[in-house]
Amino acid sequence: MQKLKYERPVINKIQVGTAGKFGMKSRFKSIESIDNVPVKEMIEKYGSPVYVISEQTIRKTYRQAKQAFTTRYPKVQFAWSYKTNYLNAVCQVFHSEGSWAEVVSGFEYDKAIDNDVPGNNIIFNGPDKSKEDLIKAVKNESYIHIDHFDELYMLLEVAETSEKKPKVAIRVNMDTGVYPHWARFGFNYENGEAWNALNRIMLSKKLDLVGIHSHIGTYMMSAAPYGVAASKLADLIVGVDKKFGHKIEYIDLGGGFASKNTLKGAYLPGTDTCPSYDDYAEAITNAIINSGIDHENLPTLFLETGRALIDDAGSILGTVLANKRLANGKRSTIIDIGLNMLFTSFWYEHDIVPAQTASFQTEETIINGPLCMNIDIIRENINFPLLKKGDNVVISRIGAYNMTQWMQFITLRPKIILIDMEGKTHIIRENETKNTITDLERMPKHLSKKE
Ligand SMILES: *Cc1c(COP(=O)(O)O)cnc(C)c1O
């Protein structure tokens, strides 16, 4: 007998139109405005699709996170993770709140400098720093987080000829009980590599060891691993003090806090399952305070939180292009927002809702983007009201990574607008035009039709 294929059980909520204790069931949720600016007005003015960023939400979210940490620990410094969203306007909102810059490439480093971030408020991470990058960072007194031995040797070489002593930290990876274990960045804790790096730095006398860093993963669904990471880093700080009589000034726990998005296949929505800033702060600060570090010399706590600080502030507004009935009977709604603009729909079940009052009736629907590519799916399966061509939709909680990991493919990228604290809208990135793309192209003479 042939073994039957396992099929995952699925529970589907049945939408019935009967009245409850409070009368008729409410309509499918719609989002008709963002920060009191009507969605339809923004689409009319700036086109469809269009990305929208709420300055108010960024500031509110940042302040909540900051409060969770500063109420528990005396010295806290956030550094905005540029790769999560490096639109200059977004970075400036974070910098105006007191956030430093955390960068992972020469390009991002230069962006931070252009944003007037003082060199000594920039944390330089990542495995790819060129010699020129290092020379610049040393000159600007930035914090260089060493990722591997080859970088350490290059930096020692740079130190030979530079006037200033480079300020460095090492990135440490470790087993925090979360798998897969991110082992490819930094020096391993358990196998002694981290200690080898610390010893070489201290014995070289050419580098100023000011910090210790780890970034254990992203979208961490539990706070406890941060406690493990903080204890292991604190052990290294205690060890360096004991062995060399040297005080490390800061401990950097990286990023990775989960945003409230729902992962594909998750049983409950992210809003119900993700730890709060208080949960993360409790795990981290308790571990540092309870460690062997002398309380007089508690290190400054650096945080490089990315996604959790910006996801909620970003939305993308779009328009229904068509509806179809697929061969298997399922309804497909095609919208003008594709995977090329919403990279994160690979792993999130994004919240997509109509921008106008919708019908009571919903149907299991697949939401497709406009690309000529079979995998252009924004939602595989969603109970969705019947929208018609020209109706608008809002996809919320998309502020993290989409505006940096997007790709130029088939269509051009749309405008990005910011709603300021007074509810005024500003274009912070223009839409691409054909020339944005073709201006970079060159035609070899033998293929050119022009004289
Ligand atoms: C990406 C990254 C961050 C931000 O991560 P999130 O998961 O977005 O919070 C912080 N630090 C480093 C080194 C990173 O590479």
Side-chain angles (χ1 to χ4, degrees):
M1 202 177 89
Q2 206 190 347
K3 193 173 169 213
L4 292 177
K5 264 207 182 129
Y6 173 75
E7 271 182 43
R8 184 168 68 100
V10 177
I11 298 174
N12 280 324
K13 200 156 99 186
I14 296 171
Q15 303 279 345
V16 286
T18 53
K21 195 166 149 192
F22 304 105
M24 285 300 282
K25 208 170 155 39
S26 61
R27 285 170 186 271
F28 194 82
K29 173 178 84 155
S30 65
I31 296 181
E32 291 171 37
S33 66
I34 296 171
D35 292 356
N36 294 322
V37 185
V39 167
K40 300 229 173 233
E41 197 180 293
M42 288 190 272
I43 288 180
E44 218 157 89
K45 192 161 173 197
Y46 300 106
S48 176
V50 59
Y51 291 95
V52 177
I53 288 172
S54 157
E55 181 177 346
Q56 198 178 310
T57 306
I58 301 180
R59 293 192 189 275
K60 197 180 74 195
T61 313
Y62 178 82
R63 287 171 195 176
Q64 278 169 359
K66 190 173 161 195
Q67 180 172 339
F69 282 89
T70 50
T71 48
R72 292 175 168 87
Y73 196 76
K75 293 180 279 182
V76 180
Q77 179 61 55
F78 279 85
W80 174 238
S81 156
Y82 264 46
K83 78 170 187 290
T84 311
N85 189 320
Y86 46 55
L87 279 163
N88 289 338
V90 168
C91 297
Q92 291 296 12
V93 176
F94 282 104
H95 297 323
S96 73
E97 289 286 331
S99 199
W100 290 8
E102 184 271 330
V103 301
V104 291
S105 69
F107 158 67
E108 289 188 1
Y109 186 91
D110 291 345
K111 244 174 167 284
I113 294 286
D114 285 353
N115 281 331
D116 289 327
V117 180
N120 64 0
N121 286 7
I122 301 177
I123 296 172
F124 201 168
N125 278 315
D128 174 22
K129 308 179 191 84
S130 69
K131 192 163 181 183
E132 292 66 43
D133 293 336
L134 291 176
I135 291 170
K136 199 172 354 176
V138 172
K139 194 164 145 248
N140 291 334
E141 301 178 28
S142 303
Y143 296 94
I144 300 167
H145 288 187
I146 303 169
D147 187 79
H148 44 73
F149 283 112
D150 284 318
E151 182 174 83
L152 172 56
Y153 303 145
M154 187 157 63
L155 192 56
L156 286 171
E157 222 179 280
V158 168
E160 292 282 356
T161 54
S162 60
E163 282 167 24
K164 290 171 180 160
K165 200 169 179 182
K167 290 193 291 181
V168 305
I170 59 162
R171 175 157 174 180
V172 180
N173 70 66
M174 64 193 76
D175 185 350
T176 57
V178 171
Y179 305 97
H181 163 195
W182 278 22
R184 65 158 282 204
F185 301 107
F187 302 92
N188 185 252
Y189 177 87
E190 284 81 15
N191 72 5
E193 239 194 4
W195 259 113
N196 290 342
L198 292 171
N199 286 331
R200 281 181 212 176
I201 290 169
M202 289 309 300
L203 294 172
S204 80
K205 299 199 170 25
K206 288 185 196 136
L207 306 176
D208 190 8
L209 179 68
V210 287
I212 198 117
H213 172 234
S214 76
H215 170 65
I216 57 175
T218 192
Y219 199 92
M220 303 295 290
M221 301 206 28
S222 149
Y226 283 98
V228 177
S231 315
K232 288 185 175 175
L233 294 186
D235 275 353
L236 295 177
I237 292 181
V238 172
V240 167
D241 191 12
K242 205 156 129 197
K243 183 160 176 175
F244 297 99
H246 175 78
K247 306 258 185 275
I248 288 181
E249 295 163 24
Y250 68 84
I251 184 165
D252 183 344
L253 264 297
F257 300 162
S259 75
K260 305 246 173 302
N261 259 307
T262 304
L263 288 178
K264 278 191 176 166
Y267 184 59
L268 289 169
T271 40
D272 293 350
T273 52
C274 295
S276 65
Y277 296 123
D278 288 296
D279 296 332
Y280 292 118
E282 191 76 8
I284 291 172
T285 59
N286 281 349
I288 301 174
I289 293 167
N290 293 332
S291 74
I293 303 174
D294 163 23
H295 68 94
E296 297 281 334
N297 295 305
L298 279 178
T300 302
L301 171 60
F302 282 9
L303 296 155
E304 306 167 347
T305 313
R307 104 176 42 244
L309 291 180
I310 190 69
D311 232 2
D312 278 7
S315 312
I316 185 165
L317 320 180
T319 305
V320 174
L321 300 176
N323 286 295
K324 273 193 178 182
R325 187 67 59 188
L326 302 180
N328 64 3
K330 191 158 169 175
R331 182 186 174 88
S332 154
T333 294
I334 306 167
I335 59 173
D336 59 358
I337 301 166
L339 257 188
N340 53 337
M341 298 173 205
L342 206 63
F343 201 77
T344 52
S345 47
F346 265 128
W347 51 83
Y348 285 150
E349 292 199 336
H350 279 298
D351 237 358
I352 170 164
V353 299
Q356 56 281 306
T357 319
S359 80
F360 286 95
Q361 213 173 350
T362 61
E363 181 179 337
E364 278 199 21
T365 305
I366 176 166
I367 312 261
N368 285 114
L371 305 178
C372 280
M373 187 173 76
N374 204 33
I375 59 162
D376 191 21
I377 297 166
I378 298 300
R379 283 295 298 270
E380 188 81 50
N381 204 21
I382 178 173
N383 248 314
F384 206 62
L386 316 175
L387 300 193
K388 42 182 204 310
K389 178 175 162 58
D391 279 349
N392 297 119
V393 294
V394 178
I395 304 179
S396 15
R397 214 169 258 144
I398 59 102
Y401 295 102
N402 286 304
M403 287 159 242
T404 47
Q405 273 184 316
W406 53 4
M407 50 189 157
Q408 197 280 308
F409 180 56
I410 300 184
T411 58
L412 299 165
R413 284 172 283 203
K415 286 187 173 65
I416 303 178
I417 64 172
L418 176 99
I419 307 176
D420 71 15
M421 301 301 284
E422 275 87 49
K424 281 210 281 294
T425 53
H426 308 260
I427 296 174
I428 58 170
R429 189 181 194 270
E430 281 292 352
N431 55 295
E432 292 174 343
T433 63
K434 188 195 72 200
N435 289 352
T436 316
I437 314 304
T438 53
D439 279 356
L440 297 173
E441 296 186 24
R442 299 291 177 265
M443 185 64 72
K445 211 163 191 161
H446 71 285
L447 297 175
S448 174
K449 290 209 176 73
K450 289 176 194 140
E451 286 300 301

